Amino acid sequence: MDPHQLRTYVTVARLASFSEAARELGYTQSAVSQHIAALEQDLGAPLLTRRPVAPTAAGERLLEHAGPLLLRLDAARADVVRMAAAPQQGLTLATTPTALGAGVLAVLPPAGVILRVLTRAQIPAAVATGAADLGLVDGLAAPSDPLRLPDVAPLTTLGIAEEPVSVLLPAGHPLATRPGLRLDDLADARWLDAPDAALPLDQLRAATGGGAFRPALRYEGTDLRTLTALASAGHGLTLLPRATATAVPGTVAVPLTAPRVVHRTELVHGGSLGGAAAEVVRKVVGRKVVGRV
């Protein structure tokens, strides 16, 4: 299977247009049509209907494979280029909004740093493809257990911090005076579904072996101030690292007492490091910051 043809197919399927795909890829429309025809001949199955342009059943199945395949190719290219290239003086760090309190900020270079706030799903891919030198990912986990990250490429992960978590409630909420809360008691509460800002609801469900955790409002963003404003206004509860949840105006942060889970942060990098990225990893390892946040 030709990766160029596969990339063309993914682009046509995403844009639902041969002409738009040609413009995005810098090909002629005829070349795009030839790529699709050659791929369909290679696989022995039609992949797209033409009017309208949409994946067939076989095309949908190919799309399930295409993303990981193309990402692996991009990751392999980036890894080889990193090995051959001279070490860069600058550093690009990709992070979630709730991972920044993990002690890495103290060891960043004084200049030449680009900080990108991305979603949890985007960070491993950004590191694998060279869009970021290092990544900070976080989530709920049992103490000392590693996070479950997508298998996008061979990446090295280093656990760098664990801290307790708190439930963020409006100041007038009936549970705001409790000394601690159990997730089982909150499964039927109104929750904010903010997968890229708070700790995701699917991780709450996994921590309790199920539970409804019904979202009252979905927030598709990464800004913590917006998230906490929604919680303060009574639109739903949210779960945050203890340090992040503390001292938010109009809210109360109540510690989560059961199940025994922590907010875990891991540093992610590719196989070969040099320059500023290697120095940051060396300092992080030397600080041994797990459990100290």
Side-chain angles (χ1 to χ4, degrees):
M1 189 184 307
D2 188 314
H4 297 292
Q5 295 172 1
L6 183 61
R7 200 176 298 275
T8 299
Y9 167 68
V10 169
T11 306
V12 172
R14 173 169 55 84
L15 297 175
S17 168
F18 280 72
S19 58
E20 290 296 325
R23 273 192 286 272
E24 181 171 307
L25 295 170
Y27 297 151
T28 64
Q29 186 169 336
S30 174
V32 168
S33 297
Q34 290 173 13
H35 280 193
I36 300 301
L39 186 60
E40 289 178 324
Q41 184 176 7
D42 180 25
L43 296 176
L47 300 174
L48 293 167
T49 60
R50 286 350 191 230
R51 293 185 181 180
V53 177
T56 62
E60 290 283 4
R61 183 58 57 86
L62 180 59
L63 286 174
E64 295 175 10
H65 294 284
L69 285 170
L70 293 173
L71 181 56
R72 281 277 180 168
L73 287 172
D74 291 340
R77 177 186 295 276
D79 203 22
V80 172
V81 168
R82 274 194 297 260
M83 291 184 66
Q88 298 294 315
Q89 295 303 310
L91 173 70
T92 299
L93 173 67
T95 181
T96 66
T98 47
L100 284 174
V104 172
L105 295 182
V107 298
L108 291 178
V113 176
I114 298 174
L115 186 68
R116 290 180 180 157
V117 178
L118 302 176
T119 68
R120 289 178 177 85
Q122 290 172 330
I123 290 174
V127 174
T129 57
D133 302 301
L134 301 173
L136 286 174
V137 290
D138 64 341
L140 275 183
S144 301
D145 275 4
L147 299 176
R148 296 182 179 179
L149 301 181
D151 182 21
V152 297
L155 296 174
T156 299
T157 59
L158 175 66
I160 60 172
E162 290 182 355
E163 67 173 312
V165 293
S166 295
V167 182
L168 194 69
L169 309 100
H173 195 280
L175 300 176
T177 58
R178 293 275 191 92
L181 291 169
R182 298 169 52 90
L183 272 185
D184 285 343
D185 300 331
L186 299 170
D188 294 324
R190 289 163 49 88
W191 285 86
L192 289 170
D193 183 14
D196 301 320
L199 297 175
L201 292 187
D202 59 353
Q203 294 186 5
L204 302 191
R205 297 185 186 102
T208 58
F213 296 102
R214 290 189 294 268
L217 182 149
R218 181 175 175 85
Y219 169 53
E220 297 181 350
T222 59
D223 181 59
L224 284 173
R225 293 183 64 182
T226 300
L227 174 68
T228 56
L230 289 169
S232 176
H235 289 290
L237 311 184
T238 189
L239 196 66
L240 291 170
R242 179 182 60 186
T244 304
T246 302
V248 175
T251 65
V252 174
V254 181
L256 183 70
T257 57
R260 190 165 177 257
V261 292
V262 294
H263 170 250
R264 180 177 173 89
T265 302
E266 296 180 356
L267 184 68
V268 182
H269 64 84
S272 54
L273 286 176
E279 182 66 11
V280 167
V281 171
R282 184 188 67 78
K283 290 179 178 178
V284 167
V285 172
R287 287 166 62 92
K288 297 180 180 178
V289 296
V290 170
R292 292 189 180 181
V293 171

